[in-house]
Amino acid sequence: MPTRCGLTAPTTVRRVWHPVGRLPARVYWRRRIVVLVVLLALLGGLAWLGVALLSGRDGTGAAAADRTEPVPEPALARVVPSVTAVATPDPPPVAVTQAAPPEAPPEPLAGGPCTDDMITLEVRAPAEVPVGSKPTFELAVANVSAVPCVRALDKGLQEIVMLDAAGNRVWGSNDCFPEASSDARTLAPGEVVSIPLVWGGLTSEPTCTVPRGNPAPGPYVLRARLDTEVSPDAPITLVQL
């Protein structure tokens, strides 16, 4: 500020904060505020620039770390998929089933009927018989069970037939002289009942209308039947005397 003598007065802190001049005091206060805002903006800009520089340096390091080149995948891995990448289906569960044990046959009832499984049937005859003779054959019924049982041995249920080597029927015990009777027997375990049947030595057929005659010499078989039970074949030979 010029003085009245034309000299410049020395500048002091007091004169800066409390300037004295021809202008109003508010003008100088506005100037002070503007200078202070500019100073604060300058300081803020410098601080932001420092932070940006530090952040850029850290970011550059991180970016350099991120730009590390990846290890190239082997060519074989690009063609053949990894075993872990291939989904293999699980095998279907195998159903395990246990077979039920076979049921044991019921025990035979003591005193009940003799079933075919409880008896055996056999034809007993001589090995050789002369042509034209009248031999006696036996039908043997045996109880092979462990309990006594009842079996019908009626005459109408008994039969012995003769067959030739070709299986043709030659004679039957019930063809021409059928008999009827009622004979229910109680057979003890192991008991054998022999029933005799006489053959007249001639051929026959069920109607007994065909002329009868002596069968030719040769091998034959005898087969017995008791109702539904059939015996094994018994060989017999007719010989010419």
Side-chain angles (χ1 to χ4, degrees):
M1 289 290 176
T3 61
R4 286 179 296 181
C5 294
L7 300 176
T8 303
T11 302
T12 63
V13 175
R14 179 179 179 82
R15 294 182 68 87
V16 171
W17 290 103
H18 300 283
V20 178
R22 292 172 298 182
L23 298 176
R26 61 178 178 275
V27 174
Y28 298 107
W29 281 111
R30 290 174 183 169
R31 293 176 179 175
R32 295 190 192 100
I33 293 173
V34 171
V35 172
L36 182 60
V37 170
V38 171
L39 181 60
L40 291 176
L42 181 61
L43 292 176
L46 293 175
W48 177 86
L49 181 61
V51 172
L53 291 175
L54 292 177
S55 300
R57 185 177 299 174
D58 294 340
T60 302
D66 292 339
R67 287 196 300 270
T68 303
E69 295 184 0
V71 178
E73 185 179 10
L76 182 60
R78 294 195 297 269
V79 177
V80 181
S82 173
V83 176
T84 57
V86 178
T88 56
D90 296 332
V94 178
V96 179
T97 58
Q98 295 182 352
E103 295 183 2
E107 293 292 334
L109 180 63
C114 296
T115 64
D116 291 346
D117 295 334
M118 299 171 66
I119 64 171
T120 61
L121 201 60
E122 180 185 4
V123 178
R124 296 175 180 176
E128 292 183 354
V129 173
V131 175
S133 64
K134 297 180 180 181
T136 299
F137 305 140
E138 287 186 355
L139 190 154
V141 183
N143 179 6
V144 294
S145 69
V147 297
C149 59
V150 178
R151 183 77 183 204
L153 303 181
D154 301 352
K155 292 291 184 180
L157 302 177
Q158 307 169 18
E159 184 180 26
I160 294 178
V161 296
M162 180 180 290
L163 307 172
D164 62 15
N168 298 315
R169 192 175 187 273
V170 176
W171 166 78
S173 61
N174 292 341
D175 289 346
C176 295
F177 305 100
E179 299 182 52
S181 67
S182 178
D183 187 5
R185 301 275 188 97
T186 299
L187 305 178
E191 182 180 357
V192 179
V193 176
S194 295
I195 304 170
L197 291 172
V198 178
W199 175 39
L202 300 176
T203 59
S204 67
E205 48 85 28
T207 63
C208 202
T209 58
V210 177
R212 305 176 67 189
N214 294 326
Y220 295 85
V221 295
L222 297 174
R223 184 180 300 165
R225 178 182 63 86
L226 178 63
D227 195 9
T228 54
E229 178 70 3
V230 178
S231 74
D233 292 345
I236 187 173
T237 303
L238 299 181
V239 296
Q240 186 70 49
L241 296 178

